Amino acid sequence: MDVKEISFSYGKTKILDKISFSLKEGKITTIIGANGCGKSTLFKLMTRNLVPTSGKIVLGDKNIRYIPLKEFAKQVAIVHQSGNEGSDITVRQLVEYGRIPHRKISCIKMADDDKKIDWVISVTGLDEVKDRQINELSGGQRQRAFIAMALCQDTDILFLDEPTTYLDIRYQVEILELVKELNKRYGMTIAMILHDINQAVHYGDEIIGLKEGHILIQGKPKEVIDEEVIQKIYGIHLPVRQVDGDIAVLAVGKRDIDTDKQ
């Protein structure tokens, strides 16, 4: 997917200004930025929930604006920030919705639907809860169920909007490890918005940092993230350290750092 010179405004308020980049095939791209920088708007544009004021987003060789919605759903799967739909249905019923784009008639199963559903449930570790209702699940299980529904669309690209929001640290790591496995084992191209800088750095092959509707940084996390960049993006100085060959942003105040050194 190629984002080409897209701009977007709400009325007279410009949110994004001539954004251009490409999602690298088979890689995980993480998008970061302070609140109000345009992350959510960019996500909505790339997933066809908004139309650019100018510019275009191309999938293959087609402007996504002109790809029929059902065809788009065969190529791109989307997990939004929070899924409250279908709380009174079972996990398996929810996952099955992912097969709808592949059916000629939405209510009639295809021959390989059950096989695909079973595989996705297994891959996402939901076998033990597949017959439970969505509203009975933990936050982590619920998020995996919505990811499973997206996987059932059998696409090459997966979009995730803040997939770890509202989850405790255990489930955050579980979800991100699942995302990593989907990328490494099955070659999915993944783009996700993350608030946690360290998670974006650790799990992203590529990172895009937005500031006031522009791309401030883009590249491999180790090559583009430093203390100056964090200051520019978030307006706060945070130490960046090398940890076991990786980089880590210490999200604590300077006073705490100084005290720790004494």
Side-chain angles (χ1 to χ4, degrees), residues 144-209:
R144 276 189 282 148
F146 281 93
I147 291 175
M149 179 178 66
L151 291 181
C152 224
Q153 289 176 228
D154 203 16
T155 66
D156 293 325
I157 301 175
L158 174 63
F159 280 98
L160 300 141
D161 185 8
E162 299 181 22
T164 58
T165 299
Y166 309 124
L167 301 180
D168 65 34
I169 188 63
R170 170 191 168 186
Y171 291 120
Q172 289 180 31
V173 172
E174 283 187 2
I175 291 298
L176 292 172
E177 286 294 323
L178 171 60
V179 170
K180 185 177 180 179
E181 181 180 6
L182 294 173
N183 169 255
K184 300 303 180 187
R185 181 173 294 186
Y186 305 108
M188 293 194 76
T189 301
I190 296 171
M192 58 181 172
I193 294 176
L194 290 174
H195 268 302
D196 188 294
I197 308 169
N198 287 308
Q199 290 176 348
V201 167
H202 183 72
Y203 288 97
D205 299 305
E206 291 276 317
I207 192 166
I208 293 173

Side-chain angles (χ1 to χ4, degrees), residues 30-133:
T30 54
I31 302 170
I32 64 170
N35 291 339
C37 71
K39 298 189 304 295
S40 295
T41 300
L42 177 59
F43 186 92
K44 290 175 182 177
L45 289 165
M46 295 174 75
T47 55
R48 285 190 36 150
N49 287 294
L50 290 174
V51 176
T53 305
S54 62
K56 61 183 178 180
I57 301 172
V58 177
L59 182 61
D61 59 354
K62 297 181 180 178
N63 187 330
I64 65 170
R65 184 176 178 182
Y66 304 115
I67 299 176
L69 189 58
K70 191 170 184 179
E71 291 304 311
F72 187 72
K74 291 179 181 180
Q75 300 179 67
V76 176
I78 305 160
V79 180
H80 294 283
Q81 185 175 141
S82 58
N84 297 313
E85 306 87 349
S87 61
D88 59 346
I89 64 174
T90 67
V91 169
R92 187 179 179 84
Q93 289 171 326
L94 177 70
V95 172
E96 187 176 337
Y97 286 153
R99 299 307 300 157
I100 290 176
H102 298 275
R103 296 173 179 173
K104 292 182 179 180
I105 302 176
S106 63
C107 61
I108 299 179
K109 283 187 177 182
M110 302 286 285
D112 62 345
D113 278 359
D114 284 331
K115 184 178 180 180
K116 175 62 70 172
I117 293 165
D118 289 339
W119 178 81
V120 166
I121 286 174
S122 177
V123 165
T124 52
L126 292 168
D127 286 292
E128 293 185 1
V129 297
K130 64 183 179 182
D131 296 319
R132 291 174 58 184
Q133 291 188 340

